[in-house]
Amino acid sequence: MNSVGEACTELKREYDQCFNRWFAEKFLKGEGGGDPCGQLFKRYQLCVQKAIKEKDIPIEGLEFMGPSKGKTENSS
Amino acid sequence: HPWETVTTAAMQKYPNPMNPSVVGVDVLDRHIDSSGKLHSHRLLSTEWGIPSIVKSLIGTCRTKTYVQEHSVVDPVEKTMELKSSNISFTNLVSVDERLVYKPHPHEPDKTILTQEAIISVKGVSLSSYLEGLMANTISSNANKGREALEWVINRLNAEIEEFTASARGTMRNSMAAAAFVEK
């Protein structure tokens, strides 16, 4: 599956692989520990945000936060 | 299939042959809230079969339509809720869908999906015709959605079998067993 930004597809795939594994093997089984894919997500996110701005996609009301519990903030 | 299997498949629903118009999926935000539920905001890009003459007039960059999806997965209560709405053409039409996956109350190896859609067409005189058309499409899509997840589940199980056959690694037993349960 591709990303909205063509350049982000590889970053997306890496993140998705990490996330899907954690989701099925840890999260759904109620195991603690947060999402371990933070770094991958940040890199992927930066790329996506740029693509969204470039393509002028009307996303409203979303704060582009990292995968943590709301403590990190992205500055662009 | 059990709720865990369906939820895992729903997270990886695209691409699948039943939804060929979905060409891109991106995660805009993902976080676990204070009660342990996973929230994901995703952007779906869809490409409809727009005639090439239209594309040449408006430019290929503008033939994609976008949908915003917010999902919440509660691993304790075992519910997955997805809400999506279009963010393209909102001046013409709004399509809001809500899907909820929960374990079957009496049969733990099955999952129940409730799905609703609210469609409104704005300022167009053919509104009742268009609303009817979209309602039909959405209800046939509901069945397609089930087939799509079935396809994804089979694909995931095939990947697992391939993995175990070649690597003799640990298996995700619950998923493999679920594939063989009579639905």
Side-chain angles (χ1 to χ4, degrees), chain B residues 80-86 94-102 112-120 134-135 137-143:
Chain B
M80 177 178 189
E81 183 182 21
L82 291 113
K83 282 187 187 160
S84 67
S85 50
N86 61 308
S94 65
V95 180
D96 296 290
E97 273 200 306
R98 181 173 171 260
L99 287 77
V100 181
Y101 293 99
K102 284 184 187 175
I112 289 201
L113 163 66
T114 29
Q115 186 169 359
E116 52 191 76
I118 301 171
I119 318 136
S120 40
M134 295 194 75
T137 306
I138 287 178
S139 73
S140 70
N141 278 350
N143 214 28

Side-chain angles (χ1 to χ4, degrees), chain A residues 1-6 8-9 12-13 44, chain B residues 15 23-26 45:
Chain A
M1 186 85 274
N2 293 334
S3 168
V4 66
E6 293 78 13
C8 312
T9 297
K12 173 189 136 64
R13 287 210 182 119
Y44 163 51
Chain B
V23 299
V25 179
D26 280 295
S45 316

